[in-house]
Amino acid sequence: MPSPRVRFNKNYRLIKNEYMILGNIFNGLWIKCPTYVYEFLNNWIEKEYTVSNMLDECMDVDTKEYLSNMIKTLVGIEIIDYYDKHTPDNKAIKHVTFELTTGCKLRCSHCCVSCGEIAREDMSFELLKQLIKWCEKNGIRSIALTGGEIFIRHDIWDILNYVRANFTGSIEIMTNGTLLREKMIPDLKALVDYISISLDGYDEESVLKIRGPKVFNKVKSTIKSLQQSGLENISLSMVLTKDMITHQNKFRELCLSLGVTPIMRVFTPEGRADSNYETLSPPFKIKNKNELTEVELTSLQNAINFKCSCNLSSKIFVCCDGTIYPCFLTKNEKNRLGSTNDLLDGKLKEAEIVPIVDTIDECRDCDVRYFCATACPGHDRNIFMNEKYRSEMCDQMKPYYNMIVWK
């Protein structure tokens, strides 16, 4: 068998300093190597050398063994790919989220949409029917129905029955759990596969601060009724606000006691959440480098990752008005992929996957930029595009990552 050629993975990025850091922005894996090693490798890749050609360039056995192990490592963490093992990009949409309504009876202080303050808008049932048929025809694996609060719609049960009858993939509903009438809960088992409930606290007092009165016990009661009806795939989510970020264990303990899966979500300053930024945003403050032991430093070096994007090309978010974005948190004109007409006509644009730190003048030359971004482009947009928020984060995180990454 001929020796394969290699090339850099499309999700590979490079950071230069005294050494070189090669990382993958999707899987978060990275490696630091001497500059000369990278320059040799890059030169050989540009010349389209085979792996055998590269190894033949080595002057001694030790160097050949080092390079061979380096290539295997880089392939393993998807920095480079073998030509003959390279899988063509699969940009097919696999997951679709439908925004059924912007209406909601709660007024959560961290709501990114400001539900209750904006005019309510519902997706038409007839449009949804067309879209569900498209999903089935195009082999979509899963769909999610979200709001606002979907159970505020008077026709929600007609919608759920239609979706189940006309879509064979996985169906998830996202709800705050307060409008589910107990007598209707048994019907859900046949209609949905997963239920995601937002709670944002671990007891009555903590939930009250975010979601208002009587929510905590109502959600607990709803979960119990869902489980009694045979629904087992239930998740409970909490946004990591200033008060909640130090109580994650209490939330996990609550979820364990309820028999549900805990989901932690990052705080994103958009909508009403932006108005309440000072009250809700968790601090960027981290432990001073002088306080770290060698063991802690090693642990942190192993823990940090390079992941600063997600696979936006595999999913779409369909708004009530028919506009389409990669996901809910990327709802801005720059990320607009088209409309439902474009989708049905096969003319929807593909999502561009570019880490936000590569688009901002203050960030694009920073030698730790891919470490301080997150895997959520929507969340990062709201932080990095706001000079105040970005500066606050940078003042804390840049010295921290410089110490960990480059030491």
Side-chain angles (χ1 to χ4, degrees):
M1 178 181 291
S3 177
R5 292 179 171 84
V6 294
R7 60 182 171 187
F8 287 111
N9 185 286
K10 64 184 179 67
N11 298 317
Y12 143 83
R13 296 292 188 279
L14 174 71
I15 297 179
K16 301 178 181 180
N17 201 312
E18 294 180 9
Y19 283 78
M20 297 291 195
I21 288 181
L22 293 71
N24 185 303
I25 61 171
F26 265 24
N27 65 27
L29 300 175
W30 60 284
I31 189 171
K32 184 162 59 176
C33 71
T35 300
Y36 75 88
V37 173
Y38 165 76
E39 289 176 345
F40 277 128
L41 181 65
N42 185 55
N43 180 51
W44 292 333
I45 288 177
E46 287 181 349
K47 291 181 177 179
E48 297 188 348
Y49 275 23
T50 66
V51 173
S52 292
N53 293 151
M54 294 181 185
L55 296 177
D56 288 343
E57 293 285 317
C58 298
M59 300 297 292
D60 55 64
V61 175
D62 289 342
T63 304
K64 181 176 292 190
E65 182 179 0
Y66 173 85
L67 180 62
S68 177
N69 290 333
M70 172 66 80
I71 291 173
K72 290 177 183 177
T73 298
L74 293 175
V75 170
I77 63 177
E78 298 179 22
I79 302 299
I80 59 177
D81 301 317
Y82 291 126
Y83 268 43
D84 57 348
K85 292 185 178 180
H86 181 71
T87 302
D89 294 343
N90 182 4
K91 296 184 178 180
I93 298 169
K94 300 178 179 65
H95 178 78
V96 180
T97 299
F98 295 104
E99 182 186 50
L100 299 185
T101 180
T102 60
C104 184
K105 289 191 174 182
L106 299 183
R107 300 293 182 269
C108 301
S109 58
H110 69 326
C111 180
C112 296
V113 188
S114 298
C115 287
E117 297 174 17
I118 59 174
R120 174 177 167 178
E121 186 174 6
D122 292 353
M123 179 180 289
S124 81
F125 196 174
E126 291 307 310
L127 173 60
L128 181 64
K129 288 178 180 179
Q130 294 181 58
L131 297 173
I132 294 301
K133 289 178 180 177
W134 180 90
C135 288
E136 181 65 15
K137 179 180 178 181
N138 287 274
I140 300 301
R141 295 179 186 176
S142 61
I143 64 173
L145 306 176
T146 189
E149 171 49 52
I150 64 172
F151 287 100
I152 205 171
R153 289 189 60 144
H154 71 277
D155 57 354
I156 186 59
W157 294 100
D158 294 330
I159 290 173
L160 292 174
N161 276 284
Y162 181 86
V163 174
R164 177 52 88 195
N166 292 276
F167 181 67
T168 55
S170 175
I171 301 170
E172 175 185 7
I173 60 172
M174 308 178 80
T175 174
N176 60 41
T178 61
L179 297 181
L180 261 171
R181 290 179 292 171
E182 189 164 350
K183 67 178 183 179
M184 300 299 291
I185 285 178
D187 296 336
L188 273 180
K189 187 178 189 306
L191 300 177
V192 303
D193 301 295
Y194 299 92
I195 298 181
S196 177
I197 302 175
S198 48
L199 184 63
D200 301 304
Y202 56 88
D203 60 13
E204 177 67 38
E205 182 181 356
S206 59
V207 174
L208 174 65
K209 291 180 180 179
I210 298 291
R211 294 187 165 263
K214 300 180 181 179
V215 173
F216 180 70
N217 287 327
K218 171 58 180 173
V219 169
K220 287 178 63 178
S221 175
T222 296
I223 290 173
K224 182 177 180 181
S225 297
L226 289 169
Q227 292 169 332
Q228 289 175 342
S229 72
L231 274 160
E232 298 179 351
N233 295 319
I234 304 171
S235 67
L236 199 60
S237 67
M238 180 176 78
V239 173
L240 298 175
T241 59
K242 182 183 294 185
D243 289 339
M244 292 302 101
I245 198 165
T246 56
H247 296 293
Q248 296 179 56
N249 286 338
K250 290 183 179 179
F251 181 72
R252 290 190 181 93
E253 289 170 2
L254 171 67
C255 291
L256 182 61
S257 70
L258 295 174
V260 297
T261 302
I263 303 292
M264 307 295 184
R265 304 191 191 282
V266 295
F267 173 78
T268 300
E270 187 171 8
R272 195 154 49 235
D274 189 36
S275 301
N276 295 316
Y277 178 82
E278 296 298 333
T279 304
L280 298 178
S281 178
F284 293 112
K285 186 175 176 61
I286 43 83
K287 196 170 185 180
N288 187 282
K289 64 180 181 180
N290 295 324
E291 299 172 358
L292 293 175
T293 66
E294 285 299 318
V295 173
E296 288 174 325
L297 180 59
T298 300
S299 176
L300 288 170
Q301 288 172 333
N302 292 331
I304 63 172
N305 71 75
F306 208 82
K307 187 177 175 111
C308 54
S309 189
C310 66
N311 192 4
L312 293 175
S313 62
S314 68
K315 57 188 177 182
I316 57 173
F317 182 90
V318 186
C319 298
C320 292
D321 63 3
T323 54
I324 298 177
Y325 303 91
C327 77
F328 165 70
L329 287 174
T330 59
K331 287 172 62 176
N332 62 77
E333 192 58 32
K334 182 180 178 181
N335 293 318
R336 189 176 185 272
L337 302 179
S339 67
T340 50
N341 288 334
D342 295 321
L343 177 69
L344 297 173
D345 293 341
K347 298 178 180 179
L348 200 68
K349 293 194 303 183
E350 292 181 358
E352 294 184 13
I353 303 174
V354 180
I356 195 167
V357 291
D358 284 340
T359 69
I360 297 175
D361 290 340
E362 293 84 353
C363 299
R364 60 167 54 99
D365 294 324
C366 174
D367 59 7
V368 292
R369 60 189 177 277
Y370 299 120
F371 294 97
C372 64
T374 74
C376 179
H379 169 268
D380 283 351
R381 177 178 63 85
N382 288 283
I383 297 293
F384 284 83
M385 298 302 289
N386 183 304
E387 186 175 354
K388 176 181 181 296
Y389 300 164
R390 185 183 67 246
S391 296
E392 181 182 347
M393 180 183 70
C394 186
D395 288 345
Q396 287 287 333
M397 304 310 292
K398 186 172 182 178
Y400 171 77
Y401 281 121
N402 263 312
M403 179 269 300
I404 294 175
V405 171
W406 295 110
K407 185 169 182 178

